[in-house]
Amino acid sequence: MISSDFSALARTLIDLSDRPVLYWASVCGFHPSNVSNWLRGRETLSESNIARLLSVLSVDPDTLKLDPSRVHVWVVAIHEPESLIEAAKTFFESPSEMVLVRPDPEGPVSLVQAPQVALLRSGLLRIVLLRKLFPTKMSESPLSQKAGTPWIRPSFLPDARWKAKEIPPSEDAPPIHVPGPFLFDLVMGNISLEQFDVILDKATPWEWKDVETLAKSSGLTAKEVADLIKGIKPRKTR
């Protein structure tokens, strides 16, 4: 692999880390301008320095595989998903499975504005996806940033699906509820692979309570949902 390929790989992971080049340069003991220029293709780094940078980004410099022994946390700007898509093409195995996670509704009210989180498992890899809350484009409306609104689906990624296979990847799946403190352990990556799998494997197909919640959010009554299931269109109100 040539240096430009290494730099493209590093750029992708640095973008998903949501940390500046300065941070990663400091971790490696490099001058920030050297790393920044290398990422832009304006400067070269020695093989040993490239290997060091990839290692701190959790990539094996020999195999170019992402470290499967830990849970990775990536921050996703959903209106600019290029880095996530590129990482999926580079590291993921087919098929990849995804679930949405939300805090337990019986928990503290303070968690209403909890982070928007998705869990993604691909082969031996375990990824926590966090939604970047600040708009990356001026055209993005504030409403689209409201906590609890749908934000990511498996259809964003190549050959990905919900853990609940009955739900099409282009539709919204019901979230898994976890205790608030445990949710923040996920966000910080302070969780074992086994704990990650326990949460992800709790995903189930749609249940009536999920349909009822979705109906209310769409302004429909239970009867109208039942009519829709029977193929009867709801009446329009004047």
Side-chain angles (χ1 to χ4, degrees):
M1 181 177 284
I2 60 178
S3 180
S4 60
D5 294 327
F6 285 123
S7 63
L9 183 62
R11 280 198 309 271
T12 295
L13 293 174
I14 289 174
D15 182 51
L16 290 170
S17 76
D18 204 34
R19 286 174 166 168
V21 172
L22 173 63
Y23 171 84
W24 295 107
S26 299
V27 170
C28 294
F30 301 157
H31 194 284
S33 63
N34 292 342
V35 178
S36 182
N37 287 333
W38 176 68
L39 292 172
R40 292 185 175 93
R42 300 174 183 172
E43 191 171 321
T44 59
L45 288 180
S46 67
E47 289 186 8
S48 61
N49 284 347
I50 291 175
R52 181 170 176 79
L53 179 58
L54 291 178
S55 294
V56 301
L57 290 169
S58 297
V59 174
D60 185 317
D62 295 322
T63 65
L64 297 183
K65 299 290 186 181
L66 201 62
D67 183 2
S69 68
R70 58 179 291 261
V71 174
H72 301 268
V73 180
W74 291 347
V75 182
V76 180
I78 204 61
H79 286 269
E80 294 181 341
E82 293 81 8
S83 293
L84 178 59
I85 294 172
E86 187 60 34
K89 292 178 179 178
T90 303
F91 299 115
F92 291 178
E93 298 177 11
S94 299
S96 301
E97 298 177 317
M98 182 188 296
V99 300
L100 297 177
V101 178
R102 289 185 190 167
D104 191 330
E106 302 300 324
V109 177
S110 60
L111 291 176
V112 171
Q113 297 298 322
Q116 295 181 339
V117 182
L119 306 184
L120 198 151
R121 180 170 60 197
S122 183
L124 297 177
L125 297 179
R126 308 294 187 270
I127 313 289
V128 177
L129 301 178
L130 305 181
R131 182 179 181 176
K132 183 178 288 188
L133 293 182
F134 295 100
T136 55
K137 292 184 177 180
M138 294 303 294
S139 59
E140 186 176 359
S141 69
L143 182 61
S144 67
Q145 296 294 330
K146 183 179 178 182
T149 56
W151 67 285
I152 192 168
R153 294 168 175 162
S155 54
F156 276 97
L157 303 174
D159 200 21
R161 65 191 185 195
W162 293 116
K163 180 63 174 67
K165 302 177 181 62
E166 296 82 358
I167 305 173
S170 59
E171 297 181 5
D172 296 321
I176 296 172
H177 293 102
V178 300
F182 202 68
L183 176 64
F184 287 107
D185 281 339
L186 279 171
V187 169
M188 300 303 296
N190 297 329
I191 185 173
S192 68
L193 301 179
E194 293 75 16
Q195 290 171 319
F196 184 102
D197 286 341
V198 166
I199 296 174
L200 188 139
D201 289 333
K202 289 169 61 177
T204 58
W206 287 100
E207 296 179 355
W208 176 249
K209 62 181 180 180
D210 302 311
V211 177
E212 185 177 25
T213 299
L214 183 61
K216 289 181 179 178
S217 67
S218 303
L220 297 173
T221 66
K223 183 179 183 305
E224 288 172 330
V225 173
D227 288 342
L228 286 172
I229 294 174
K230 296 175 183 177
I232 303 173
K233 295 183 178 180
R235 296 179 181 178
K236 294 182 179 180
T237 56
R238 295 181 179 177

